[in-house]
Amino acid sequence: MKKILRLFCSTTILLATSCGTHQAYFPDAICIQNIATIDPIEGLKNNQTVIISEGKIIKIMPSDEITLSNENEIIDGDGKYLMPGLWDTHVHFAYIEDIAPRMFTLFLANGVTSVRDTGGNVNFVKEWKDKSLLYKTDAPRVMMAGPLLDGEPNVYDGADPAHPELSVELHSLEDITSQVQLLIDKNVDLLKAYEMLSPKQFKKINELAKANGLKVTGHVPLSMDVVSAAEAGLSSMEHLRNLELSCATNSDELLESRRKMLMQGKNMTGGELRSAIHAAQKEEAIKNYNEAEANKVLTILKKYDVWQIPTLALNTFLSNQYYANDHYQKSYQYLPDSIAQYWKKRSVALKEYPINPSFEAQTNFNKKMIKKIHDFGIPIMAGTDTPIAYLTPGRSLHVELEALVNAGLSPLEAIKTATYNPAKYFNMEKELGSIKENMWADLIILNSNPLENINNTLHINTVLKNGKVHNASAIDSMLNKLKAK
């Protein structure tokens, strides 16, 4: 009742203000005045006033239609830009566990207010999800999938540092049923299917997910093609993984060959077997790329609404060389010292790494497919795979946005992939991802216009999480604490 009364009083004051007779006062609210808003659907609107109370946007109106009382808590937005908080829709808290305790701060400092964890020990990841729920104004929202659901041999089995134990090896349909139920009991938000699954296993995962109102993301299993995976219920694809195998003139022959390799490679580790198949087929598939075949595949992806998380910065990392940028390398200082030193050493070495023709062909394929996917109207979400490949949590999302723009999206379209689209993916578009009344106030104030240059998303002045203001001073303080650890 108290909340309703306060909103009623605020509305009454606003109506009086429109006649020019009163100054508007909003108790217990934050007023952002004279700011340009960037909504991923509606675009740029200049000179807006945005009122935030109890964690939500309660009023948006042109600044010349309201005069704020000096008693308000006012943020001067003159010359600045307000946009929704960003999502990174492909992260792994469990990939390098020593980095995990720093990820909340790094995400928030870089304007990433929501993340989607796409694979790791469910108990470990759940700890971070539970913390995010406990500290809603000081941590990003965490959506989680639990472990990668893989066949045999599973890829991320803990065999080496490059393959930490992020997955579970499933031997039967009964294994799948029990594992999915365990994850449901842990309140996962989606499931992640992986590359070594059989078609029957993959179908079972999707059936169970549908029965329980969950989406299935993942890699197209090597035992399948993209069309059959889409028809089985795959909701979204990560990294464009194995897409090229279905866009070749000889895609049927490649599928038959993959299935034979899978049968013959049971004595190998999952990582070894997957790498062997990729080495044998990806380059050949790209050489045999066929536009008509690709169009058929994308038509199916559109028909079944299979969203794409391209992680383009990762997929093109040897050519875009984000890690070679001195400014980017400064982000390493917030990591544990041993990790920071190793990343710096490897970044310097990779600058001199020759780009072989196979990787260059894969890079060109990925860039071309992003534009085609977008033109087909297949939704895209921005994700990075942090902390894999020296992708610093938070900072790397801005690299991904730049990569999407370089692939042919406009800055506003790229922003949509990291704001509105992820919210819609989780059926939260009425709560998040836009600048509208009644939305949660997960917002970023920028000093420069990202529609003119997507790199301006880095020019962060203030981050708001559920309405709490983290200004530049607060962000610097958070980051300095990481350096001191």
Side-chain angles (χ1 to χ4, degrees):
M1 186 67 185
K2 182 179 178 182
K3 177 181 176 182
I4 294 173
L5 180 62
R6 184 164 68 245
L7 291 177
F8 174 77
C9 292
S10 296
T11 303
T12 303
I13 292 171
L14 284 170
L15 290 173
T17 300
S18 66
C19 300
T21 57
H22 290 83
Q23 291 185 328
Y25 173 56
F26 298 90
D28 302 319
I30 298 161
C31 305
I32 307 174
Q33 189 178 41
N34 299 324
I35 198 161
T37 60
I38 298 175
D39 183 89
I41 305 299
E42 298 179 359
L44 179 70
K45 292 183 179 179
N46 288 310
N47 300 317
Q48 300 292 299
T49 290
V50 180
I51 313 299
I52 297 164
S53 180
E54 296 188 348
K56 290 193 171 184
I57 299 171
I58 63 168
K59 194 71 181 175
I60 306 172
M61 61 192 309
S63 294
D64 60 6
E65 294 181 10
I66 181 172
T67 301
L68 293 174
S69 165
N70 290 332
E71 295 181 49
N72 288 296
E73 180 180 346
I74 298 175
I75 296 175
D76 182 10
D78 188 34
K80 296 180 176 60
Y81 301 82
L82 183 72
M83 63 175 282
L86 298 166
W87 284 72
D88 187 332
T89 65
H90 193 120
V91 312
H92 293 283
F93 282 96
Y95 189 82
I96 303 176
E97 292 188 2
D98 287 347
I99 292 179
R102 299 167 181 249
M103 290 175 81
F104 279 2
T105 296
L106 291 171
F107 283 132
L108 210 61
N110 285 280
V112 176
T113 55
S114 300
V115 299
R116 186 180 71 137
D117 187 284
T118 52
N121 179 281
V122 67
N123 293 321
F124 183 83
V125 179
K126 191 174 187 300
E127 287 183 21
W128 298 105
K129 174 163 184 169
D130 289 346
K131 287 179 182 178
S132 77
L133 292 171
L134 187 61
Y135 303 105
K136 291 183 178 180
T137 61
D138 295 289
R141 180 177 291 96
V142 176
M143 313 298 278
M144 70 173 187
L148 313 176
L149 301 175
D150 209 358
E152 53 180 319
N154 59 322
V155 176
Y156 280 93
D157 57 357
D160 56 65
H163 298 90
E165 194 174 351
L166 303 180
S167 67
V168 291
E169 184 175 272
L170 302 167
H171 304 276
S172 65
L173 298 184
E174 290 75 21
D175 283 351
I176 288 173
T177 299
S178 60
Q179 179 65 34
V180 169
Q181 186 58 53
L182 183 153
L183 297 179
I184 290 169
D185 292 343
K186 296 286 187 179
N187 295 316
V188 299
D189 302 289
L190 72 161
L191 300 176
K192 173 80 173 283
Y194 217 61
E195 289 186 57
M196 311 306 282
L197 292 166
S198 71
K200 285 184 179 180
Q201 289 176 318
F202 185 79
K203 183 178 179 182
K204 184 67 173 179
I205 289 169
N206 280 277
E207 287 173 351
L208 292 170
K210 184 177 181 180
N212 289 278
L214 295 173
K215 294 179 183 289
V216 176
T217 196
H219 298 193
V220 173
L222 290 165
S223 62
M224 304 175 72
D225 58 20
V226 171
V227 170
S228 59
E231 291 173 340
L234 185 64
S235 298
S236 54
M237 284 173 55
E238 309 293 327
H239 319 295
L240 311 180
R241 186 57 55 83
N242 301 330
L243 178 60
E244 66 280 281
L245 303 180
S246 294
C247 295
T249 53
N250 60 338
S251 59
D252 290 341
E253 291 84 352
L254 290 172
L255 177 57
E256 183 178 352
S257 177
R258 286 200 302 281
R259 287 174 172 170
K260 288 180 180 177
M261 293 182 73
L262 288 166
M263 290 298 296
Q264 295 167 356
K266 295 297 184 182
N267 61 333
M268 303 169 69
T269 69
E272 291 170 342
L273 180 54
R274 182 179 71 157
S275 293
I277 294 173
H278 287 175
Q281 292 207 344
K282 284 183 172 290
E283 186 174 3
E284 181 183 352
I286 291 173
K287 286 179 180 177
N288 287 281
Y289 172 82
N290 181 274
E291 196 76 15
E293 290 296 322
N295 289 341
K296 288 178 185 178
V297 171
L298 295 187
T299 298
I300 292 295
L301 293 177
K302 173 65 176 176
K303 176 182 177 181
Y304 288 98
D305 197 29
V306 184
W307 293 43
Q308 300 296 311
I309 303 88
T311 61
L312 194 58
L314 173 73
N315 285 348
T316 63
F317 83 109
L318 285 180
S319 57
N320 65 37
Q321 295 193 334
Y322 52 83
Y323 45 79
N325 182 288
D326 290 340
H327 186 270
Y328 180 84
Q329 289 181 13
K330 288 180 180 178
S331 66
Y332 300 170
Q333 67 186 306
Y334 306 116
L335 304 174
D337 284 345
S338 61
I339 295 172
Q341 291 171 17
Y342 178 73
W343 282 25
K344 180 63 181 273
K345 179 180 177 181
R346 291 294 302 149
S347 294
V348 171
L350 278 173
K351 287 170 63 175
E352 309 304 323
Y353 191 85
I355 302 175
N356 64 49
S358 177
F359 189 88
E360 187 172 11
Q362 185 77 55
T363 293
N364 292 336
F365 171 83
N366 289 335
K367 287 182 176 179
K368 176 172 66 176
M369 291 307 294
I370 290 300
K371 188 64 168 63
K372 282 181 67 68
I373 286 165
H374 176 70
D375 291 345
F376 262 78
I378 300 166
I380 295 171
M381 293 194 292
T384 65
D385 220 355
T386 181
I388 297 174
Y390 322 117
L391 288 159
T392 310
R395 177 64 179 83
S396 55
L397 194 277
H398 300 272
V399 176
E400 184 68 15
L401 293 177
E402 181 183 10
L404 289 170
V405 170
N406 289 340
L409 274 64
S410 72
L412 185 62
E413 290 165 344
I415 287 169
K416 185 179 177 183
T417 71
T419 53
Y420 177 82
N421 283 2
K424 185 177 181 182
Y425 179 87
F426 283 113
N427 300 313
M428 299 172 71
E429 69 270 26
K430 293 183 179 179
E431 304 175 56
L432 284 171
S434 301
I435 301 181
K436 291 185 172 61
E437 293 176 3
N438 301 315
M439 294 276 186
W440 286 109
D442 286 11
L443 302 165
I444 313 171
I445 297 176
L446 301 174
N447 291 322
S448 308
N449 186 355
L451 302 185
E452 295 177 354
N453 184 336
I454 193 61
N455 289 319
N456 287 338
T457 58
L458 286 165
H459 298 169
I460 295 173
N461 176 279
T462 300
V463 176
L464 289 90
K465 179 64 177 70
N466 277 48
K468 180 176 176 178
V469 176
H470 301 269
N471 59 25
S473 177
I475 291 171
D476 286 344
S477 177
M478 289 191 297
L479 292 175
N480 285 333
K481 287 178 183 178
L482 292 186
K483 287 197 292 185
K485 285 186 178 181

